[in-house]
Amino acid sequence: MYTNLQAETDRAFAGEQAAGRRQQQNDQQDEEKTMTDTTKTTKGLSRRSVLKGAAATAGVALGSGAITGFPTIWAQNIKNVTLRQFGTGVSNLNEVAQKVKQDLGFTLEMTALDSDTVTQRAATQPKSFDIADIEYWIAKKVWPTGNLQAMDTKKIKQYDNIVGIFRNGKLTPSSVIAQGTAPHTVGFVDGKNGKKFVDHESGWMTLIPTIYNADTLGIRPDLIKRPITSWTELLNSEFKGKASILDISSIGIMDAAMVCEARGDIKYGDKGNMTKEEIDKTMAIFTQAKKDGQFRAFWKSFDESVNLMSSGEVVIQSMWSPAIAAVRSKGIDCKYQPLKEGYRSWGGGLGIAASLSGLELDAAYEYINWYLSGWVGGFLMRQGYYSAVPSTSQKFMSADEWGYWFEGKKAQGDILSPQGAVMEKAGAVRDGGSFEERMGHVACWNSVMDENQYMVRKWNEFVAA
Amino acid sequence: MMTLTKTDRTSWLLAGPMTLILAAFLVLPILTIIVVSFWAFNEFTFFPAFVFDNYLFTLTSKVTLATYLKTLQFVILTWVFCTVVGFTVAYFLAFCVKSLAWQVALFLLCTIPFWTSNIIRMISWVPFLGRNGIANSALMSLGIVKQPVEWLLFSDFSVVLAFVHLYALFMVVPIFNTLIRIDKSLIEAARDGGANGLQILTNIIIPLAKPGIMIGSIFVVTLVMGDFITVRFMSGGQSASVGRIISNEISLLQYPAAAADAVILLVTVLIMIAIMMRFVDIRKEL
């Protein structure tokens, strides 16, 4: 299908391109001259593909009759473009695809998968997608395969307004960077086809951040009937047979580490990158708890966590923010409990497939710029996530919604979901408070460890124990 | 080459399509799995090699042994209950129901649950058995228990219950099929000879039903050995099974490891079936 589309768009281009072919070649040379040193030193294949990209860009520029500025003529052709995006369920929403069609004119096909499958696809089926909506820790795993291409931040209009977490790692100048795979550590590479992550804003971004949040334990206050303030409570024998942890090893181990550290059992060097010894100790503590019957179940998918909580099988567990909303929407009391040790945080972003070029690549940039321009941000923030550029999202939210979701203020009226259902009644305050309070207390980012394979084995032993 | 007679040619033509289908969709994939099981892998890709690491790791890991024992436990329990339930139902249909119309009607009734997906049938146990589920509220309002019974759900009990529920029909069908073909005059002759009900059952009906029991057993054993979703849902993700280990490995991109585990599972199941075939020669007795 991709090749068909490509052929179609190529045909549509042929006329315009033929006229400007010579010119295009000149431009190509100019482009080449202006290229950075880094690209010049990388010889061979990568260099060639850079040139190809440049040629395509030049072609579009010519076709539109304008070297800079908003392309107008190809907006006719762009209607034929289909971008295939896949990612986790959180941001792969049909509403977004519909709005893309409406605002940008092209078609966005979305596939929602779980994070394991997303990783798998990004790593093994590079031709099956144009845009990957993945988490930063997945990027760390997938980037070395060369299936994604870095994005030129000069083409990202809102780049300067992207939250600091994704650029230099700091929410505010005084912030301490949390453990784990902090997004900025895998956010930049040294060139369009660069394989190595760099520790500064190089101008080549691996993922354009879209959505992120701070995770903690979900509880049933109506069944627990006392304040919960620490991660240690997950293993408290008071909740024997009524606790749960998620069975996705890379995230589950992090929740486990938060608990072990809070109990004072283990002092970690970096929870996001544990040593074998730390993994052994962590799993030993949780295996013992499992044998003692602490856990009612393990969950792997979003709906399982909702069912466990709403049925009362479980009163305290690892949970994700929309799952809390789903339980509450059934009229069941459920709290996303802020804990004194801090949050386990995650962030996702859009990556562009390495194979994307020409009109599709331009459409992808268009899409990303649109993504950051506010509508999606507002849509996602009204579900309890944060957007990469809050200032643009604010324009698409009411003052009350902004106050409730972002500033941690008391809701003046009912807070509605994007679909119009009542999420919170007037007077409610968001669990954990404002953006700064929540994102400022991140203890650890979701990550992939150097000892990942060992950890996975140990995790499987834990499940089988 | 010898000249083919007409019957030879006909039999080749008749067997041909099936042979091709099996070769393309069964033999070839299994060969691929075997080949891949010797490949090497890292975190995000796998590549051709000839290593025994995948087998070595599986065969020496404590988890493998524990998992196989657990899976065998599920197999044995499920098999016992499925056989008892399957035989009883088949016996009732074959001997207690006299009219053929009723036999057909009741038999179809048995299959009605199979009109829905087996995942739905399995998951519907969850709200039923849960802490605040129907079973527990019934037990509590009858005053049988004071506290909700916790082991009803997310336990070995619930796993086996779901298996029996899902697979009992695979026992009913073949057993019913053999029972209905037992010559009624045999039973009459036995009764005339003075045999009591139990003697008729153990000396005539069960021996003659053996092929059916064995076919049903093969279904049940292979289905339970290869299952991953029932164990996951009904144990609340807390029990391992061989199938779950393979599915975990696939989700972590460890295809060669998954392939090696699949080969080991295949060999195990083949050995189990071979052993079962030693007890009953299905082809001779069918």
Side-chain angles (χ1 to χ4, degrees), chain A residues 161-229:
Chain A
N161 296 323
I162 290 176
V163 171
I165 297 170
F166 298 98
R167 295 170 55 203
N168 53 22
K170 287 173 181 279
L171 182 64
T172 60
S174 61
S175 300
V176 180
I177 294 166
Q179 297 177 352
T181 309
H184 72 286
T185 59
V186 294
F188 297 94
V189 286
D190 51 13
K192 189 180 177 196
N193 293 300
K195 286 268 161 70
K196 267 178 66 187
F197 297 117
V198 293
D199 59 358
H200 59 273
E201 295 178 55
S202 64
W204 293 100
M205 225 169 178
T206 56
L207 298 183
I208 296 296
T210 51
I211 176 174
Y212 52 103
N213 210 343
D215 285 357
T216 181
L217 295 177
I219 62 163
R220 281 282 298 266
D222 56 329
L223 298 177
I224 291 182
K225 297 188 184 101
R226 69 174 177 85
I228 297 290
T229 58

Side-chain angles (χ1 to χ4, degrees), chain A residues 116 120 123 141 145 241-242 247 290 295-298 300 304 308 311-313 456-457 460-461 463-464, chain B residues 41-44 57 63 67 130-132 150 153-154 232-233 236-238 240 244 248 250-253 255:
Chain A
D116 281 343
Q120 198 174 328
K141 229 171 152 176
T145 61
K242 295 177 179 177
D247 179 16
K290 186 191 171 196
F295 303 111
R296 182 65 170 151
F298 298 148
K300 214 161 190 171
E304 283 177 275
L308 284 173
S311 63
E313 297 294 338
V456 169
R457 278 174 188 177
N460 285 342
E461 285 177 23
V463 171
Chain B
F41 63 91
N42 58 28
E43 251 175 74
F44 32 77
F57 178 76
V63 181
T67 312
R131 183 176 286 135
N132 306 310
E150 302 269 323
L153 186 60
F154 301 139
R232 190 190 135 198
F233 279 115
Q238 297 208 76
R244 275 197 74 195
N248 273 346
I250 291 173
S251 69
L252 294 162
L253 304 177
Y255 291 108

Side-chain angles (χ1 to χ4, degrees), chain A residues 222-253:
Chain A
D222 56 329
L223 298 177
I224 291 182
K225 297 188 184 101
R226 69 174 177 85
I228 297 290
T229 58
S230 166
W231 282 86
T232 58
E233 303 280 7
L234 188 68
L235 290 190
N236 190 335
S237 55
E238 185 185 335
F239 308 123
K240 189 174 165 185
K242 295 177 179 177
S244 176
I245 189 167
L246 79 172
D247 179 16
I248 297 173
S249 52
S250 53
I251 309 176
I253 187 110

Side-chain angles (χ1 to χ4, degrees), chain B residues 216-268:
Chain B
S217 304
I218 291 173
F219 277 128
V220 170
V221 168
T222 49
L223 284 169
V224 176
M225 283 300 287
D227 174 89
F228 70 102
I229 198 83
T230 311
V231 176
R232 190 190 135 198
F233 279 115
M234 298 310 290
S235 76
Q238 297 208 76
S239 256
S241 74
V242 183
R244 275 197 74 195
I245 288 194
I246 296 175
S247 95
N248 273 346
E249 282 164 343
I250 291 173
S251 69
L252 294 162
L253 304 177
Q254 305 173 346
Y255 291 108
D261 278 350
V263 171
I264 295 170
L265 176 64
L266 183 68
V267 171
T268 316

